[in-house]
Amino acid sequence: MQGRLSAWLVKHGLVHRSLGFDYQGIETLQIKPEDWHSIAVILYVYGYNYLRSQCAYDVAPGGLLASVYHLTRIEYGIDQPEEVCIKVFVPRKNP
């Protein structure tokens, strides 16, 4: 299922993979490592101006590593800020 942000990225020709929604309904997207910097700037311009958290984990022993970013759109007067989760999977040999 494609969310609002994923549809916007597709409309603007930005490569990503929709991973659906987490248990709280937060849209989750996968971004290629080489696209992360440009996508991060684009998301900031789009309004995701707060990095709520960042973590990393082993996907599998000896396999890929994942870096996970939770971004939030903080706006004055908004009670329920919009959030997105971005996952970037990288090879262990070149994180």
Side-chain angles (χ1 to χ4, degrees):
M1 176 179 230
Q2 189 179 51
R4 193 171 109 192
L5 180 58
S6 181
W8 186 86
L9 291 172
V10 168
K11 178 181 173 183
H12 291 88
L14 300 168
V15 178
H16 69 287
R17 179 176 172 213
S18 177
L19 299 177
F21 298 85
D22 70 7
Y23 72 98
Q24 294 178 316
I26 296 172
E27 187 173 7
T28 304
L29 305 174
Q30 179 181 343
I31 304 296
K32 291 181 180 178
E34 59 271 17
D35 296 335
W36 171 235
H37 291 102
S38 59
I39 294 288
V41 170
I42 290 165
L43 292 175
Y44 179 78
V45 170
Y46 186 70
Y48 288 93
N49 54 1
Y50 180 70
L51 174 63
R52 188 169 55 92
S53 68
Q54 190 278 329
C55 68
Y57 64 90
D58 286 322
V59 176
L64 294 174
L65 301 172
S67 186
V68 182
Y69 304 85
H70 288 148
L71 305 172
T72 305
R73 289 178 78 168
I74 302 292
E75 296 179 41
Y76 181 76
I78 301 295
D79 291 337
Q80 292 290 346
E82 189 176 328
E83 298 183 44
V84 67
C85 175
I86 305 293
K87 292 187 177 187
V88 181
F89 296 95
V90 295
R92 184 176 299 277
K93 292 182 181 179
N94 186 19

